[in-house]
C-alpha cells in the first residue's frame, strides 16, 4: 500500500498534526516553564527536563521530515526519501531518547559515548550512500539493512543494560533514601520498550491504515507519559554512587572509626536516631543521618550492609514500630484516628509507600492487621 493514500485521509492528517503540535507544546513547556504543573511539591532535575525537551523536539522534526521528504521533496524517489528519514531517525531521535533515559538515573553520570557507538552503523551506511551517488537505493539496500539490523541488536543490548541499570539504581535508592516516592524510574523501561516497538512498527508497517492511526495514538500517549515522568521525578541532592566510591577513608575528628562499626555506630543510631525519633523526619537521607550521628556516609552504609539491612528498611521499620505504638495509644485513649493520619505522623509522606512497607514488614495489609487487633 502506498503511504500517499494514507496521507490523503484528512482525519489522519489532523491526528498527525495534533501529535506533532502536542510534542512541540510539551517541548516548550519543559524548556520555559519554571514551575511544575503535575506535582508542585516536586523539583524535577534540570538536565532531565532539557534532554526530554530535546527528545520531544527531535520527535517534532521526525514528524516533519517523514511528512515532507518522501512525498513532496523526493517525490520521484520515494524509497530514497524513506531511507533518508530512517537514517535521520537513527542519528537524531534515538540518541536523544538514549541520553534522556540515562539521565533519569541520578546515582551517577553515565558516559554518553555509548550513543556514538549505537548510531555509528547508520553513519557508515549514510557515508557509503554519499560516496556512491550513482548507485540506486535498491543497490544500497543491503548496506542499509545491515545497518538497521546492527542498530536493532545494539538497542536490544541497551535494553538489557537498562534493566540492570534500573535495578542497580533501585538498590542505590534503598541504600540512601528512606522515602522512595517520586524517585524510582522503572517506568523508563516501559517507555523504552514502547518507543522502540513504535519506531520499528512505523518503519515496517507497510502503510497499514489502521496501524498508522494506532501508532500516532500511542505516540500521543508516550508524550503524556514522558511529561508526567519528568515532572514527577524528584531531583536528588544527596551523595551519588560516584561520591561514595571515591570518598576519602580517613577518619575525621569525632567520627566513628571502621574498627568500631558494629558497636559505636549502633550506639549512636540508638541514641541520636531512635531515641531522638529522627526517623520521623520526611525525606531523611543516609547522608543527613550520618552527619547527625557523627560518622560519614561510607561508614554508615557499611554498617547497614554488615547488619544485612538497607537504609530504607532500617528507617521504615522504625516508622512502622512508631505507627503501631501510636495505634495502641489511640485505641487505649479511645481517640478517633485514621490509618493515614497515623502513618503521616510516623514519618511516611505517602500512604501507599507506608502500605507497601507495612505489608513487607508485617506480612499483611494495614487493614487486616488493624482488624486482628480488634478481636
Amino acid at each position: 500500500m502506498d503511504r500517499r493514500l494514507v496521507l490523503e485521509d484528512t482525519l489522519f492528517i489532523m491526528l498527525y498534526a495534533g501529535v506533532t503540535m502536542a510534542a512541540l507544546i510539551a517541548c516548550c513547556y519543559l524548556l520555559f516553564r519554571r514551575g511544575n504543573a503535575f506535582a508542585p511539591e516536586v523539583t524535577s532535575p534540570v538536565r532531565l527536563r532539557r534532554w526530554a525537551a530535546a527528545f520531544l523536539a527531535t520527535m517534532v522534526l521526525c514528524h516533519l521530515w517523514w511528512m515532507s521528504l518522501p512525498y513532496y521533496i523526493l517525490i520521484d524517489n520515494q524509497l530514497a526519501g524513506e531511507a533518508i528519514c530512517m537514517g535521520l531517525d537513527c542519528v537524531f531521535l534515538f540518541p536523544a531518547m538514549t541520553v534522556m533515559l540515562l539521565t533519569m538515573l541520578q546515582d551517577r553520570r553515565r558516559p554518553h559515548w555509548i550513543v556514538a557507538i549505537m548510531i555509528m552503523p547508520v553513519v557508515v551506511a549514510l557515508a557509503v550512500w554519499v560516496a556512491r551517488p550513482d548507485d540506486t537505493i535498491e543497490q544500497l539496500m543491503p548496506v542499509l539493512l545491515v545497518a538497521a539490523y546492527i542498530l536493532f541488536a545494539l538497542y536490544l543490548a541497551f535494553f538489557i543494560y537498562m534493566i540492570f541499570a534500573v535495578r542497580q539504581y533501585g538498590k542505590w535508592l534503598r541504600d540512601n533514601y528512606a522515602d522512595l516516592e517520586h524517585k524510582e524510574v522503572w517506568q523508563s523501561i516501559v517507555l523504552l520498550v514502547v518507543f522502540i516497538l513504535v519506531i520499528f512498527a512505523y518503519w515496517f508497517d507497510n502503510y497499514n491504515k489502521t496501524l498508522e492511526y494506532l501508532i500516532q495514538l500511542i505516540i500521543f500517549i508516550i508524550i503524556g507519559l514522558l511529561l508526567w515522568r519528568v515532572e514527577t521525578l524528584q531531583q536528588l541532592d544527596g551523595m551519588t554512587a560516584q561520591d561514595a566510591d571515591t570518598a576519602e577513608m580517613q577518619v575525621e575528628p569525632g567520627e566513628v572509626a571502621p574498627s568500631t562499626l558494629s558497636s559505636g555506630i549502633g550506639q549512636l543510631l540508638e541514641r541520636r536516631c531512635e531515641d531522638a525519633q529522627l526517623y520521623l523526619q520526611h525525606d531523611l537521607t543516609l547522608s543527613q543521618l550520618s552527619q547527625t550521628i557523627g560518622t560519614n556516609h561510607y561508614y554508615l552504609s557499611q554498617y547497614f550492609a554488615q547488619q544485612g539491612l538497607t537504609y530504607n528498611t532500617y528507617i521504615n521499620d522504625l516508622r512502622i514500630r512508631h505507627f503501631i505504638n501510636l495505634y495502641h495509644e489511640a485505641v487505649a485513649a479511645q481517640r478517633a484516628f485514621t490509618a493515614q493520619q497515623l502513618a503521616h505522623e510516623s514519618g511516611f509522606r505517602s500512604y501507599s509507600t507506608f502500605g507497601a512497607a507495612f505489608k513487607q514488614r508485617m506480612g499483611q495489609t494495614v487493614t487486616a492487621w488493624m482488624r486482628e487487633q480488634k478481636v
Side-chain angles (χ1 to χ4, degrees):
M1 178 180 176
D2 193 329
R3 190 163 188 256
R4 280 174 289 193
L5 297 178
V6 179
L7 296 179
E8 291 173 0
D9 186 335
T10 304
L11 183 59
F12 177 80
I13 292 296
M14 291 175 63
L15 176 61
Y16 194 90
V19 171
T20 306
M21 186 59 65
L24 180 60
I25 292 172
C27 172
C28 294
Y29 170 84
L30 290 175
L31 280 178
F32 302 116
R33 181 180 171 89
R34 295 183 179 180
N36 191 327
F38 284 77
E41 74 281 5
V42 174
T43 301
S44 53
V46 175
R47 287 184 69 245
L48 177 59
R49 293 179 75 92
R50 290 173 179 170
W51 275 111
F55 169 69
L56 290 167
T58 57
M59 186 180 289
V60 172
L61 293 175
C62 170
H63 272 68
L64 292 178
W65 60 56
W66 270 102
M67 179 64 73
S68 58
L69 274 176
Y71 314 111
Y72 297 103
I73 297 177
L74 298 175
I75 191 170
D76 294 331
N77 196 345
Q78 181 179 335
L79 192 59
E82 292 177 355
I84 292 174
C85 288
M86 291 181 185
L88 291 173
D89 287 350
C90 296
V91 173
F92 292 101
L93 191 64
F94 277 29
M97 177 197 65
T98 302
V99 176
M100 177 192 66
L101 292 175
L102 291 174
T103 306
M104 289 185 182
L105 306 174
Q106 300 180 67
D107 55 335
R108 55 168 50 91
R109 286 200 177 188
R110 288 165 170 77
H112 293 167
W113 53 262
I114 186 175
V115 178
I117 292 178
M118 294 174 75
I119 66 172
M120 192 56 65
V122 179
V123 173
V124 171
L126 293 177
V128 170
W129 194 344
V130 172
R132 297 163 58 179
D134 296 331
D135 290 356
T136 64
I137 185 65
E138 288 79 5
Q139 292 173 312
L140 292 170
M141 189 58 70
V143 177
L144 299 177
L145 285 176
V146 169
Y149 289 140
I150 294 175
L151 179 68
F152 181 79
L154 289 173
Y155 264 90
L156 180 60
F158 177 68
F159 170 69
I160 296 172
Y161 167 80
M162 280 295 297
I163 291 177
F164 284 99
V166 169
R167 291 185 63 183
Q168 182 183 40
Y169 184 68
K171 182 181 182 302
W172 176 78
L173 285 177
R174 291 189 293 274
D175 285 339
N176 290 272
Y177 293 89
D179 301 287
L180 302 185
E181 188 180 19
H182 301 306
K183 298 179 179 68
E184 296 185 285
V185 295
W186 61 265
Q187 298 93 341
S188 61
I189 297 295
V190 178
L191 279 172
L192 176 61
V193 171
V194 173
F195 180 76
I196 291 179
L197 289 177
V198 165
I199 288 295
F200 283 97
Y202 198 71
W203 284 358
F204 305 111
D205 67 356
N206 199 28
Y207 310 131
N208 179 279
K209 190 173 182 179
T210 301
L211 188 56
E212 290 276 347
Y213 272 95
L214 182 60
I215 287 173
Q216 295 306 314
L217 291 173
I218 293 175
I219 293 175
F220 187 81
I221 294 172
I222 288 176
I223 294 170
L225 285 175
L226 176 60
L227 194 59
W228 167 83
R229 177 66 282 184
V230 172
E231 288 275 272
T232 58
L233 189 63
Q234 178 67 51
Q235 169 73 51
L236 303 183
D237 299 319
M239 178 176 286
T240 67
Q242 286 174 322
D243 294 333
D245 292 341
T246 58
E248 295 184 359
M249 295 301 298
Q250 69 265 25
V251 180
E252 299 293 338
E255 286 187 349
V256 179
S259 60
T260 59
L261 275 177
S262 59
S263 58
I265 290 184
Q267 293 172 3
L268 286 172
L269 285 172
E270 183 177 355
R271 185 168 68 252
R272 300 183 184 179
C273 178
E274 298 172 23
D275 294 345
Q277 297 186 337
L278 183 65
Y279 54 85
L280 299 181
Q281 177 182 322
H282 291 153
D283 290 322
L284 180 68
T285 67
L286 182 70
S287 295
Q288 292 169 339
L289 179 58
S290 65
Q291 292 174 8
T292 301
I293 69 173
T295 185
N296 71 23
H297 180 283
Y298 178 81
Y299 296 155
L300 186 55
S301 178
Q302 288 294 102
Y303 170 79
F304 287 129
Q306 289 180 8
Q307 304 303 310
L309 297 171
T310 64
Y311 169 69
N312 179 266
T313 301
Y314 169 74
I315 293 296
N316 284 338
D317 280 355
L318 293 176
R319 290 173 171 177
I320 290 170
R321 277 189 241 163
H322 191 83
F323 170 87
I324 292 172
N325 291 334
L326 289 180
Y327 172 84
H328 288 306
E329 289 173 5
V331 171
Q334 297 184 343
R335 186 173 67 248
F337 66 90
T338 64
Q340 288 87 343
Q341 174 190 349
L342 297 185
H344 190 267
E345 292 176 6
S346 300
F348 289 96
R349 184 183 294 276
S350 164
Y351 185 75
S352 60
T353 300
F354 162 71
F358 189 93
K359 186 173 183 180
Q360 183 178 14
R361 173 74 169 78
M362 306 298 291
Q364 59 186 152
T365 64
V366 182
T367 304
W369 179 84
M370 292 174 64
R371 190 183 301 118
E372 281 187 0
Q373 306 308 304
K374 296 178 181 178
V375 176

